[in-house]
Amino acid sequence: MQDLIDGLPPLERLAASYAPAATRPLWIGYFALEQRLADAAREGRDAIMIQLRLAWWRDRLGEDAARWPKGEPLLAALGPWNSARDALAGLVDGYEALHVGEEGPAALDAARVGVMAALAQLSHVTDIAPVEQAAREWRGLVPPSLPAPGLPRAMRPLALLRGMALREDGASPLRRFLAAMRLGLLGR
């Protein structure tokens, strides 16, 4: 698991650190899958190679986690997602649409909203509407609401991602870091 954490970008690593211990593996698995899919579908790759790489992930996520190959650390980290594999498969479809389809980033952003809703359900969050609203704002699908949607502690990483996405880019690195810490600690 530590190798997956070490491979995450700094913002995602920080966001995962603010998740409660019980939900942290869900967040790390999600962030690591995003990283892997982004690499598989990165610009400059042949469209057929992108589709082949994404097809492997789609096939794995279509199977029960008990049937997944044992040697892939990311699949092991995604084990807790077994009942929500469809949301992760939607993420694969979103990456395919982004790079080889006509829908562009809209399909990927919609899939990310679905993943956040699934993550909330896996975290036993009962009110999914604020989670979906915050995820839409994070991805820029809707204008930000004021005040920010109230999110439960299990979804604190989403509060951090949303808040940082809505911040002005002109802030100094120190101000951005302090803002991220405040979002992680307080959720607002």
Side-chain angles (χ1 to χ4, degrees):
M1 181 73 79
Q2 189 61 44
D3 287 343
L4 293 176
I5 295 169
D6 292 343
L8 295 178
L11 184 60
E12 283 82 0
R13 193 178 319 159
L14 181 64
S17 73
Y18 285 110
T23 62
R24 193 169 298 133
L26 294 168
W27 284 99
I28 292 168
Y30 161 67
F31 289 141
L33 180 62
E34 276 267 6
Q35 184 94 3
R36 186 75 60 90
L37 294 175
D39 180 58
R42 73 176 178 256
E43 290 293 326
R45 286 208 174 174
D46 182 57
I48 297 208
M49 290 306 297
I50 291 173
Q51 288 178 306
L52 286 173
R53 289 171 186 261
L54 295 177
W56 187 88
W57 281 103
R58 187 178 298 107
D59 291 347
R60 295 301 70 76
L61 295 171
E63 301 171 337
D64 188 83
R67 297 184 57 212
W68 290 347
K70 303 296 182 218
E72 170 57 61
L74 179 51
L75 285 176
L78 293 174
W81 282 88
N82 192 39
S83 64
R85 293 184 324 270
D86 290 346
L88 297 178
L91 197 61
V92 174
D93 294 339
Y95 271 97
E96 186 171 34
L98 177 66
H99 292 287
V100 297
E102 298 177 7
E103 294 138 7
L108 180 56
D109 286 333
R112 287 174 172 142
V113 172
V115 168
M116 288 298 113
L119 199 151
Q121 289 173 336
L122 290 171
S123 301
H124 308 293
V125 172
T126 54
D127 189 7
I128 304 298
V131 172
E132 290 176 329
Q133 177 67 24
R136 284 186 195 97
E137 292 175 11
W138 165 47
R139 299 313 310 164
L141 298 173
V142 296
S145 57
L146 293 174
L151 297 175
R153 176 87 173 93
M155 300 306 292
R156 187 66 50 87
L158 176 58
L160 190 149
L161 294 171
R162 176 200 172 273
M164 295 309 292
L166 298 176
R167 289 195 57 82
E168 294 180 21
D169 289 332
S172 71
L174 177 61
R175 290 184 69 94
R176 288 185 59 79
F177 176 73
L178 293 174
M181 293 214 31
R182 180 179 48 85
L183 287 163
L185 291 170
L186 304 175
R188 50 189 153 90

